[in-house]
Amino acid sequence: MKIFTDHPLAAHSSWRVGGVADSFLMPESLEDLQKGLVWAQEQGVPVTFISGGTNILISDRGVRGLVISLRKMTGIEEEERGGRLLLNVWAGTSKSELLKSFLKRRVAPALFLAGLPGDVGGGVVMNAGVSESIVPREFCEIVDWIEVISFGHSGEPYQLGKGILISSHVDVQNAVRLNRDQLQWSYRRCGGWRPGVIVRVGCSWPLEADASILEKVKVANQRRLSLQPLEFPNCGSVFKNPSDRQRAGMLIDQCGLKGLRWGDAQISEKHANFIVNLGQAKAMDIYGLMEHARKRVKEKFGLELESEIVRVGDWDEIHEAR
Ligand SMILES: Cc1cc2nc3c(=O)[nH]c(=O)nc-3n(C[C@H](O)[C@H](O)[C@H](O)COP(=O)(O)OP(=O)(O)OC[C@H]3O[C@@H](n4cnc5c(N)ncnc54)[C@H](O)[C@@H]3O)c2cc1C
């Protein structure tokens, strides 16, 4: 297990922005994870978890304490039982790998997973999904249980994206299994399991084959390619849709903000709810554009846009300055 110091984080974010982590670990096993968590507790430094980095905005000032990326804790065990496909998935497994397990059996979850970036643990945390009326369309519908390494937390009340100061003994052998109905699922969020880290996820779906699923997945991928600015680093939709009819992208577009630039960050000309990095963007440029869009939508429509992405790291001074 190697803990790196002053580790650059931009490569761990699909926006390709952000400063350095004081310390950084990418565990490959539960034992590595255990050592990292115990190390952070002994050092008295906060721990921040990331995975695919496709829904986080990492501060230019970096992240204090230890950042743990789950990306290398991967693997899927598959079983067919009682007419269902049961998948036991390590949290760092990419969603595209999960898709393959469903696609092999031609079953429905492959469709909403098409083109969804990031990892399975991050998919649970964000209750990732699509807005189209398909079944299933979000993680909450395919997850049976999650396994969490829980620990006590001291210091400030827990906030999404903020580091956690571990205050209790950590034992990765004692992961807690929480069933789907013990969790609090909502639009692009899942609560009821913190503070802790999700290590494994149990997913399942009835083995009812849809002969046309492969074709549907191809169409969904093409649709993303045509509608989303995938040629530039981005983090997907930056705001949640206020409702199915009031879509954040449409509201931002109607404020005339498509193409607006702050530094090298730009509100995409293709999709107004995407902010793209044209090359050398800073996290502050992206954040500035988000705040500007939020303000303009509030002025024009009286609606408060809520961030979908999670701000990670050292943003305290910005809060104080505003
Ligand atoms: C091009 C593009 C398109 C996208 N399209 C969609 C879409 O259609 N629908 C959608 O819902 N999202 C979409 N997203 C957003 C993103 O892909 C999802 O939210 C994804 O589920 C995030 O997973 P991740 O592994 O990248 O998580 P990260 O971005 O690494 O982390 C997200 C949050 O989860 C926490 N976290 C991650 N893993 C763990 C873990 N194992 N234990 C504890 N906490 C953890 C992190 O601390 C952070 O708070 C898109 C993003 C991009 C770049």
Side-chain angles (χ1 to χ4, degrees):
M1 182 199 69
K2 179 151 174 50
I3 294 180
F4 297 91
T5 47
D6 294 332
H7 184 78
L9 289 173
H12 299 277
S13 143
S14 60
W15 253 323
R16 301 285 179 263
V17 301
V20 299
D22 288 349
S23 309
F24 180 83
L25 172 67
M26 218 185 231
E28 294 185 23
S29 63
L30 278 177
E31 291 68 34
D32 283 356
L33 180 60
Q34 165 90 27
K35 286 181 196 156
L37 294 173
V38 169
W39 180 87
Q41 189 189 6
E42 283 170 0
Q43 302 291 315
V45 297
V47 186
T48 301
F49 301 101
I50 61 171
S51 206
T54 62
N55 222 8
I56 51 175
L57 181 57
I58 302 173
S59 165
D60 297 319
R61 297 159 56 94
V63 186
R64 305 288 71 80
L66 177 65
V67 173
I68 297 184
S69 165
L70 279 300
R71 290 229 89 176
K72 285 196 174 164
M73 294 186 63
T74 61
I76 305 185
E77 284 165 30
E78 302 178 352
E79 189 189 347
E80 294 182 13
R81 185 165 22 108
R84 289 184 81 84
L85 171 63
L86 308 177
L87 302 173
N88 191 327
V89 190
W90 286 94
T93 309
S94 67
K95 294 188 191 71
S96 55
E97 284 301 311
L98 181 64
L99 178 150
K100 284 181 200 164
S101 292
F102 288 116
L103 198 55
K104 261 193 284 183
R105 277 89 175 182
R106 302 276 188 269
V107 289
L111 183 53
F112 94 96
L113 290 168
L116 263 187
D119 301 332
V120 171
V124 171
V125 177
M126 306 309 297
N127 188 18
V130 295
S131 52
E132 288 87 354
S133 301
I134 54 173
V135 179
R137 65 174 197 173
E138 290 179 323
F139 262 77
C140 60
E141 294 165 86
I142 61 165
V143 170
D144 290 336
W145 50 262
I146 61 173
E147 276 177 6
V148 180
I149 294 166
S150 304
F151 31 74
H153 167 231
S154 62
E156 294 168 19
Y158 178 76
Q159 275 180 36
L160 196 59
K162 281 262 193 181
I164 304 169
L165 267 176
I166 300 174
S167 65
S168 62
H169 173 69
V170 180
D171 183 356
V172 294
Q173 299 309 329
N174 283 334
V176 180
R177 187 174 281 207
L178 298 169
N179 291 325
R180 182 211 338 236
D181 50 14
Q182 291 174 281
L183 302 170
Q184 292 144 18
W185 300 97
S186 57
Y187 172 45
R188 301 295 171 263
R189 292 288 185 264
C190 172
W193 55 271
R194 296 187 177 90
V197 52
I198 299 172
V199 285
R200 284 199 307 173
V201 179
C203 302
S204 76
W205 198 258
L207 280 161
E208 290 160 6
D210 172 352
S212 60
I213 195 86
L214 186 58
E215 194 47 41
K216 288 178 185 165
V217 164
K218 279 188 192 155
V219 171
N221 280 330
Q222 279 159 4
R223 192 160 179 273
R224 279 185 184 263
L225 272 173
S226 67
L227 295 178
Q228 300 180 352
L230 303 181
E231 61 278 29
F232 297 109
N234 71 79
C235 237
S237 296
V238 291
F239 295 110
K240 298 179 184 180
N241 292 320
S243 71
D244 272 351
R245 278 181 303 112
Q246 292 164 314
R247 308 183 65 76
M250 186 190 77
L251 298 169
I252 297 168
D253 189 11
Q254 286 174 7
C255 290
L257 297 179
K258 265 188 176 169
L260 182 71
R261 268 180 84 159
W262 281 34
D264 257 358
Q266 183 184 45
I267 296 184
S268 165
E269 290 171 347
K270 209 167 177 182
H271 189 317
N273 201 19
F274 276 55
I275 294 180
V276 293
N277 178 355
L278 297 176
Q280 304 300 320
K282 297 280 174 210
M284 266 311 283
D285 299 331
I286 293 170
Y287 181 67
L289 272 182
M290 284 181 68
E291 288 297 285
H292 184 72
R294 201 197 304 265
K295 199 165 147 248
R296 291 290 301 278
V297 168
K298 173 84 178 170
E299 282 164 6
K300 193 168 167 81
F301 300 103
L303 286 168
E304 200 74 59
L305 287 180
E306 198 186 327
S307 176
E308 182 174 321
I309 59 117
V310 179
R311 269 186 300 140
V312 168
D314 189 355
W315 291 89
D316 287 354
E317 292 207 350
I318 288 155
H319 289 306
E320 281 157 22
R322 274 159 199 271

